Amino acid sequence: MSGVLLIEQALNGLQFGLMLFLLAAGLTLVFGVMDMINLAHGSLYMVGAFLAAWLVGLTGSFVLSVLGAVALTGMFGMALEAGLLRTLYARDHLSQVLATFALILILNDGVKMVFGTDLPLSAPAALAGPVELFPGFQYPAYRLLILGVGLALAVALYLLVQKTRMGALVRAGASNRPMATAMGVNIRALFTLVFGIGAALCAVAGALLGPLLAVQVGMGENILILAFVVIVIGGIGSIRGALVGSILVGCIDTLGRTGLQQVFREFLPPQWASAAGPAIASVAVYVFMAAVLAFRPQGLFPARS
Amino acid sequence: MAARAPGANADRPDVPALKVGAGATAITATTHLDRTLAIVFVIAALALPFILDALGAGYYLSLASRIVIYAIAATSLNLVLGYAGLVSFGHAAFVGLGAYATGILVSEGVVGSGWHLLATVAVTGLAALTIGAISLRTRGVYFIMITLAFAQMLFYLANSVKGYGGDEGLNIKARSVLGFGAFAIDLKNPLALWYVAVAVLGASLLALARFGPSRLGRAVLVLRDDDVRAEALGFPTYRLKLLVFVVAGVLGGVAGALSVNLQGYVSPNVLHWTQSGTLMVMVILGGVATVWGGLVGAATLLLLQEVLAAYTEHWEFWTGWVLLAVVLFARQGLVGLLGSARRSVAERR
């Protein structure tokens, strides 16, 4: 593989990893602090993408639409948490699986009723072309935007969790919830807000990835499982772990898809090489997770003391 | 315990403690097969094709067969998830492997003499042994995730095997033929498939009912409720879990083999995580750790979809609401709900 292609794929991997992080951040906090398996987290990503695509149709402005979708999805997430998910925290994992699986069905079909099975969403025209990063290396401007937004949000979230009072309370909850509650932290109220932020981050990922992938019903289901893989690798409840895990998973997945294809092309017929590459890359992520679990069962950055 | 009302012990005051760190619960599981229900099951199984024929609704036999096949898969999952308390989120792996093992053999022209059954049992048993041996070293949430990971690996593998349909799936023209000579049963005949499927389901339910009160079953229930204590008491917990995992995997594989015979088609979608999720939903909906839970859950979910689909294009939406209502209001699944209704009627008398 040539150097230029390698850099391009590494950037793609980083970009996908950062978007995964936006999903994983909310998921890991819900899982880590509330001990709640939320299968419907991917549906928030879908809702965000559909809202953005719908708003673009209304307003014509990509930026406004993304901001609107983020705000609406955040509010929707808070309503969902306060109205339903909150009652599930005390229930066993099986009830949570059943309830959030039901939510997937409801949201998938609900979105289909309102918006149809898919909506067109394209990158803003100003960012459609490539940018020359250095002589001889061009990279799509829109992907660069995703990279920038992802990095900025990752830093902001890191500062929020590590440096603010709210972040300290959330970390206390992830480390030992009964103790945090006993010390007077109102975890419930705090958590409605945390869930809203998590939902808003899902919407950012959905809206930004929409033009690259496709805005369609069921788009959240595969990325949800990747987000679960990320938080298990990173350590449940740990934002830092989610960031490292996301970038690792994003790079393994993206580099595997193209890199392995190149390798296979050397000794396999082309139609096999193009099929085996993506398949093995998808499997590689899970093999990596199994290996991490075998050597560090608590993940790379365990949140619980 | 002799004067136990039928179905009374389906009403369990406690929910199985599957959450890591939750306190130990008493040993609970519906351990006996209600005799009346068993007789009803046998009569219904024998008579259903004729009843449907008489009503001129013979085409519903395929739906009934689908329910029975899903019930087998859900019952096998209930053994792992309910009785052994191992929340496997990758049960579709075994159903899918069974379907592919049979589908590939049939598409290669190997049709007769139960080779498929042997291959299905061998493939799913070996897979369950491997996946179980690795996954059972983890616990709680990590077990959920690692079983899911293995199923996803198989999903992507099936997508990439272009020789057997790849992501488009594999169509088979012939079907399995069980037995030989004059006793050969061709599963191409819908009636034959129905009777084989209900026989497998009936045998599974009977085995599950016998398993609960057996020494082995008691040991498994002990380790579900507190596996540290079970280990301290000298139970070989790891081997017990692995045994249950493998038996359930093989039974799931048999369900898969039957489903490919019913539909004549298998695609990677049978391995997708939402399929594992659907099986879990059936078990939880019906009743965790109950003999009838798998059947009740599968029948309820599939019939609900069928009925709703007749009225609205958006049946998923309404199915979701029904499931939510079950989570919020019927905490022990439908079998638990029926059990407590029966008991409250009995108490009022």
Side-chain angles (χ1 to χ4, degrees):
Chain A
M1 199 191 308
S2 68
V4 171
L5 188 63
L6 187 69
I7 297 173
E8 188 183 340
Q9 292 306 323
L11 281 177
N12 284 350
L14 183 66
Q15 168 232 311
F16 184 53
L18 285 169
M19 291 299 107
L20 260 182
F21 170 65
L22 296 183
L23 265 98
L27 196 62
T28 202
L29 287 179
V30 175
F31 208 159
V33 182
M34 290 311 188
D35 199 14
M36 157 99 181
I37 298 183
N38 180 17
L39 295 180
H41 204 70
S43 301
L44 295 170
Y45 163 84
M46 172 186 72
V47 167
F50 268 91
L51 284 174
W54 173 66
L55 286 172
V56 165
L58 285 185
T59 64
S61 157
F62 187 79
V63 177
L64 272 183
S65 305
V66 172
L67 291 178
V70 168
L72 286 176
T73 313
M75 284 191 275
F76 177 66
M78 279 162 69
L80 197 64
E81 201 272 348
L84 173 72
L85 298 178
R86 173 177 284 198
T87 61
L88 294 170
Y89 293 150
R91 304 284 298 275
D92 57 282
H93 284 148
L94 289 181
S95 305
Q96 295 166 353
V97 166
L98 181 55
T100 53
F101 196 87
L103 262 185
I104 294 182
L105 295 180
I106 295 171
L107 289 176
N108 270 351
D109 228 4
V111 163
K112 207 188 286 177
M113 283 181 198
V114 179
F115 300 112
T117 49
D118 53 87
L119 279 183
L121 178 63
S122 48
L127 295 171
V131 176
E132 191 159 26
L133 284 184
F134 53 84
F137 181 72
Q138 298 205 323
Y139 194 70
Y142 182 68
R143 283 181 179 268
L144 217 53
L145 169 86
I146 297 185
L147 209 56
V149 172
L151 278 175
L153 281 175
V155 170
L157 201 61
Y158 183 79
L159 292 177
L160 182 71
V161 171
Q162 297 294 332
K163 302 288 178 198
T164 65
R165 181 173 167 77
M166 181 189 155
L169 297 180
V170 169
R171 275 181 293 131
S175 164
N176 190 336
R177 179 158 53 109
M179 182 59 88
T181 313
M183 301 299 273
V185 182
N186 187 349
I187 295 273
R188 289 209 119 186
L190 178 70
F191 226 71
T192 306
L193 186 62
V194 170
F195 197 91
I197 294 174
L201 291 175
C202 279
V204 175
L208 290 183
L209 283 180
L212 296 181
L213 306 171
V215 180
Q216 59 190 16
V217 167
M219 64 190 280
E221 274 142 46
N222 287 324
I223 203 162
L224 168 79
I225 299 303
L226 275 185
F228 267 116
V229 168
V230 161
I231 69 173
V232 168
I233 289 174
I236 291 165
S238 161
I239 288 282
R240 203 186 330 165
L243 181 60
V244 175
S246 301
I247 291 171
L248 282 172
V249 167
C251 287
I252 290 174
D253 196 69
T254 308
L255 286 173
R257 263 164 221 280
T258 46
L260 285 173
Q261 214 158 311
Q262 300 266 322
V263 175
F264 286 141
R265 211 162 276 163
E266 304 290 317
F267 57 93
L268 279 177
Q271 74 270 27
W272 281 90
S274 60
I280 292 181
S282 310
V283 171
V285 168
Y286 297 102
V287 174
F288 179 62
M289 181 184 98
V292 168
L293 279 184
F295 293 105
R296 289 189 65 114
Q298 299 296 306
L300 298 176
F301 298 93
R304 288 203 182 113
S305 42
Chain B
M1 294 295 279
R4 179 160 58 183
N9 60 354
D11 177 37
R12 296 167 296 121
D14 50 347
V15 178
L18 290 163
K19 233 169 180 175
V20 188
T25 54
I27 298 172
T28 49
T30 18
T31 47
H32 79 306
L33 195 65
D34 191 310
R35 188 159 294 168
T36 347
L37 284 178
I39 293 169
V40 170
F41 175 83
V42 171
I43 293 174
L46 290 174
L48 191 73
F50 302 103
I51 297 172
L52 289 177
D53 242 9
L55 294 174
Y59 45 87
Y60 278 118
L61 190 63
S62 121
L63 171 66
S65 302
R66 204 154 68 87
I67 290 174
V68 168
I69 289 167
Y70 264 102
I72 298 168
T75 303
S76 68
L77 178 61
N78 206 350
L79 177 64
V80 185
L81 189 150
Y83 287 73
L86 302 164
V87 185
S88 166
F89 206 157
H91 204 63
F94 306 115
V95 181
L97 272 178
Y100 265 100
T102 296
I104 287 173
L105 277 180
V106 173
S107 77
E108 291 292 344
V110 185
V111 174
S113 310
W115 279 108
H116 314 108
L117 201 61
L118 211 64
T120 299
V121 170
V123 167
T124 49
L126 209 62
L129 194 65
T130 315
I131 294 175
I134 299 170
S135 308
L136 287 169
R137 295 189 185 279
T138 64
R139 50 180 57 226
V141 163
Y142 297 99
F143 181 80
I144 302 180
M145 295 312 301
I146 204 161
T147 45
L148 173 68
F150 279 112
Q152 287 291 99
M153 289 181 205
L154 290 172
F155 169 72
Y156 287 111
L157 201 69
N159 264 306
S160 70
V161 187
K162 288 272 181 276
Y164 293 108
D167 55 356
E168 286 168 8
L170 179 66
N171 280 301
I172 55 167
K173 292 196 181 74
R175 297 291 189 273
S176 305
V177 178
L178 303 175
F180 19 160
F183 300 102
I185 304 169
D186 188 345
L187 295 185
K188 191 137 205 166
N189 179 352
L191 211 56
L193 182 70
W194 163 258
Y195 283 120
V196 169
V198 287
V200 172
L201 177 62
S204 314
L205 294 178
L206 189 64
L208 199 59
R210 289 280 164 85
F211 171 75
S214 70
R215 270 180 71 85
L216 190 64
R218 290 278 160 193
V220 169
L221 290 174
V222 167
L223 76 86
R224 176 193 78 185
D225 291 337
D226 190 338
D227 72 341
V228 176
R229 191 175 299 175
E231 187 142 16
L233 287 170
F235 290 107
T237 51
Y238 180 78
R239 270 185 291 158
L240 279 175
K241 287 181 192 169
L242 194 57
L243 177 71
V244 167
F245 197 82
V246 170
V247 169
V250 169
L251 188 57
V254 171
L258 289 171
S259 89
V260 72
N261 272 300
L262 175 68
Q263 300 181 331
Y265 173 71
V266 54
S267 80
N269 281 342
V270 297
L271 291 156
H272 197 249
W273 76 264
T274 46
Q275 199 64 29
S276 296
T278 304
L279 289 176
M280 266 174 103
V281 164
M282 285 175 175
V283 171
I284 305 165
L285 179 66
V288 174
T290 59
V291 173
W292 297 98
L295 174 58
V296 170
T300 309
L301 192 64
L302 294 176
L303 286 175
L304 191 66
Q305 289 179 355
E306 193 73 17
V307 171
L308 287 174
Y311 290 99
T312 164
E313 180 190 343
H314 299 290
W315 54 268
E316 269 195 346
F317 185 77
W318 301 109
T319 307
W321 285 108
V322 172
L323 293 181
L324 263 188
V326 170
V327 183
L328 296 176
F329 303 114
R331 292 196 172 202
Q332 286 152 42
L334 295 175
V335 169
L337 197 68
L338 294 176
S340 61
R342 281 172 69 166
R343 200 167 70 159
S344 68
V345 168
E347 276 165 1
R348 235 175 277 147
R349 274 180 199 150

